[in-house]
Amino acid sequence: MGTNTDMSHWMGDLFGATKQHYTLKDIVIPGSHDAGMSVLTATGGSQKSTINDCNTLTQSLNIETQLITGIRMFDLRPGVLKDTLYFKHSSSDCMEDAVGGGYGERLEPALLAAKKFVEKNKSEFLIFTFSHFCPKEIPVAKLAEKITGIIGKDHIYYAGNKKPGDIKIADLKGKILLAFETARFDNPAIVFNTMIGASNEMLNFRREYAATNNLKKLIQAETLFFNTLKIDVAANDLIRLDWQLTQSAKEAAMVCNAFESDQNSPVFDGAVFLANVLSRHKSIITHARNANKVLKTQVNKWIEDQTINAKNKPNILYVDDAGSWITQYCIELNQSELYNLK
């Protein structure tokens, strides 16, 4: 999606003195799906031999580089491998229960890079959402202590009971908002979030996950989602456009695996070859690049025909293969009439 330019301080450039009072509900920021999966460090699960870059990697850039290219919301899924915390992409929350999964970047260096980033770029803020916990690997409260210890209290945004519409950009600057999608425990540094139709938590990500590898079906699902939202947005909702094409089971299992079965089978090996030829190696990243090419055109179309309006406009554009291309589009949207408060 083009070159990845340095957009380390785009928020400071865009939300200057005249927009300090804008809140999380008034703006749109770029988000990274499975943000820690730009590299496959190790595999796991009962069929870990089937796991590789093709069916596991969701990003081309590591978290530190994503920060520089302007990404500001990060989807992070922690897992433990040999007593070390990594980010994971897995079919189950616990790798030992998974059919397959992969470990990506190590958690601590990525969080230290984020801490260093907000120290250097005090006009910027980050939203880190943690989910897909495996309590038998590490208790969630203990994990939260580790994360807050790495980042340090000076760099964490303490939200209290504020809802998104109460959280101003001016207060977020130089901070990281830590959101956990889990049952509550006692830690004032953590915001507890949900991802459902309606909830009582202070933060609820409203989104529609299309679960398809068909671009037309993705657009249909998101169109319906925004039409539904026109009459149904709550004070604790942050609206997220989930713009992912998902591999089919066949693609993930066959297209991504040119391995030979234990019992050499000409029929099976031929099926793998045929699937590769027919599907043209549709890795997660390949799917993403195909979808990302039309994201801007589609969102602009939705704005033009009022599918997206002032009441239901997205606050996060959440993508695979994130980079400066999506930041640039968020800048354009934030400068548009739709995102300018009257």
Side-chain angles (χ1 to χ4, degrees):
M1 294 297 295
T3 57
N4 277 297
T5 53
D6 189 341
M7 294 193 170
S8 296
H9 44 76
W10 72 267
M11 288 180 152
D13 295 341
L14 192 64
F15 305 125
T18 59
K19 295 185 176 180
Q20 293 290 300
H21 61 293
Y22 279 42
T23 72
L24 287 177
K25 273 187 165 293
D26 301 321
I27 66 172
V28 60
I29 62 174
S32 176
H33 168 242
D34 257 314
M37 295 305 302
S38 65
V39 62
L40 185 59
T41 303
T43 60
S46 60
Q47 296 182 29
K48 65 181 182 180
S49 62
T50 68
I51 300 301
N52 53 40
D53 290 7
C54 171
N55 57 24
T56 310
L57 300 191
T58 54
Q59 301 297 333
S60 302
L61 308 175
N62 66 18
I63 287 171
E64 185 172 9
T65 309
Q66 289 178 52
L67 288 164
I68 293 166
T69 60
I71 309 307
R72 294 294 176 261
M73 177 263 163
F74 295 81
D75 162 37
L76 303 169
R77 307 174 183 197
V80 178
L81 174 66
K82 296 178 181 175
D83 297 324
T84 302
L85 281 160
Y86 288 83
F87 299 121
K88 69 178 184 236
H89 184 187
S90 173
S91 61
S92 298
D93 289 349
C94 296
M95 196 67 81
E96 70 175 47
D97 301 329
V99 173
Y103 297 95
E105 290 186 61
R106 280 179 55 209
L107 178 140
E108 186 166 352
L111 296 188
L112 287 172
K115 175 183 177 179
K116 185 177 177 182
F117 180 83
V118 293
E119 282 176 342
K120 182 181 177 183
N121 299 282
K122 293 182 168 56
S123 64
E124 310 302 294
F125 70 82
L126 309 174
I127 298 176
F128 281 178
T129 66
F130 292 87
S131 61
H132 296 75
F133 302 104
C134 179
K136 59 188 174 184
E137 291 178 356
I138 179 170
V140 183
K142 185 179 178 184
L143 174 66
E145 285 179 18
K146 280 185 173 289
I147 290 167
T148 55
I150 293 166
I151 295 172
K153 65 181 189 320
D154 291 345
H155 306 293
I156 294 169
Y157 177 74
Y158 288 78
N161 292 317
K162 288 182 180 175
K163 289 189 165 54
D166 303 320
I167 299 175
K168 294 179 181 177
I169 294 171
D171 300 328
L172 283 163
K173 287 187 171 186
K175 305 288 186 182
I176 303 173
L177 188 155
L178 302 173
F180 275 44
E181 188 189 357
T182 186
R184 281 177 172 266
F185 53 87
D186 187 23
N187 189 327
I190 305 301
V191 168
F192 295 93
N193 78 273
T194 45
M195 283 200 300
I196 53 181
S199 83
N200 294 320
E201 289 295 0
M202 66 148 287
L203 178 57
N204 182 46
F205 291 105
R206 288 294 295 276
R207 57 89 188 230
E208 176 65 34
Y209 181 54
T212 180
N213 65 354
N214 183 297
L215 182 59
K216 187 177 179 181
K217 289 181 180 177
L218 170 64
I219 292 169
Q220 287 172 343
E222 300 308 321
T223 302
L224 180 62
F225 168 67
F226 282 110
N227 279 324
T228 303
L229 278 180
K230 283 180 180 179
I231 54 171
D232 184 31
V233 178
N236 62 340
D237 287 339
L238 271 190
I239 299 170
R240 196 176 81 185
L241 171 59
D242 281 22
W243 191 256
Q244 284 83 42
L245 286 178
T246 307
Q247 286 179 324
S248 67
K250 181 180 175 183
E251 283 177 306
M254 297 185 76
V255 175
C256 288
N257 288 284
F259 68 95
E260 293 186 1
S261 50
D262 294 336
Q263 297 177 335
N264 191 25
S265 163
V267 173
F268 178 78
D269 294 338
V272 170
F273 175 75
L274 183 61
N276 273 285
V277 170
L278 293 177
S279 301
R280 297 182 187 174
H281 302 284
K282 290 285 181 69
S283 67
I284 294 171
I285 296 290
T286 303
H287 273 307
R289 288 177 178 168
N290 288 336
N292 292 346
K293 285 174 188 173
V294 301
L295 183 147
K296 179 177 175 178
T297 302
Q298 184 57 54
V299 174
N300 286 346
K301 183 172 178 287
W302 281 328
I303 293 169
E304 190 177 336
D305 68 15
Q306 290 289 297
T307 299
I308 289 175
N309 58 38
K311 291 183 178 178
N312 68 354
K313 62 183 185 286
N315 307 116
I316 299 165
L317 302 185
Y318 177 72
V319 298
D320 289 324
D321 197 28
S324 58
W325 67 274
I326 189 64
T327 304
Q328 185 57 53
Y329 183 47
C330 284
I331 291 170
E332 290 174 28
L333 286 174
N334 281 305
Q335 291 174 321
S336 72
E337 186 180 354
L338 181 63
Y339 286 86
N340 274 273
L341 299 180
K342 300 294 184 286

